[in-house]
Amino acid sequence: MHLKKFSLLILAFVLSTAALQAQTKHKTLKKSPAVGLKASVAAGQKVFSQYCVSCHQADGLGVPHMNPPLVKTTYVLGDKTKLIKIVLNGFDEDVEINGDKYSNSMASHDFLKDQEIADVLTFVRNSFGNKAPAITMAQVKAVRATNKK
């Protein structure tokens, strides 16, 4: 008898959960820009920790004369398209930043999904003392579509 009541309770719970999901499935919630930025920065930090930290370091200061810093540089804070292309194509030029030269090559990270690139670049542009507008998945997708190495 108790097993039958328990089974009915479980069935009622499953059916009510399914009904609730069906009711809310088509509703789209708009995120405020602050919530979207925070979520993108948090997701980007994970990508950064996996793919970028070994060269650019946890503090974003890079490695002297090898891997450039990500702190308040025109590469990070400037042209979004140029920054996206660096991630997609890699970077194989000597570069001078704040009077110091950096010469280590950066491999292409074109294997990352558009959203991962948007998130990691948004993280970098809003960390290490940087403050710049987010990069969106649509911007990455557009650059990738027209990208010529």
Side-chain angles (χ1 to χ4, degrees), residues 55 61-69 93-105:
C55 293
L61 292 175
V63 177
H65 308 292
M66 289 182 62
N67 304 316
E93 300 173 20
D94 288 351
V95 62
E96 186 174 320
I97 297 175
N98 299 332
D100 292 324
K101 291 189 181 195
Y102 298 88
S103 59
N104 206 14
S105 295

Side-chain angles (χ1 to χ4, degrees), residues 19-79:
L20 183 60
Q21 286 176 340
Q23 289 174 355
T24 60
K25 187 173 187 175
H26 297 289
K27 291 181 183 178
T28 56
L29 299 175
K30 290 193 174 191
K31 295 179 187 174
S32 73
V35 173
L37 179 64
K38 285 182 182 180
S40 186
V41 168
Q45 185 175 20
K46 292 176 184 174
V47 176
F48 185 86
S49 294
Q50 186 171 358
Y51 297 107
C52 312
V53 75
S54 60
C55 293
H56 294 289
Q57 305 301 299
D59 58 6
L61 292 175
V63 177
H65 308 292
M66 289 182 62
N67 304 316
L70 303 174
V71 177
K72 298 182 180 178
T73 71
T74 56
Y75 283 92
V76 171
L77 300 174
D79 183 3

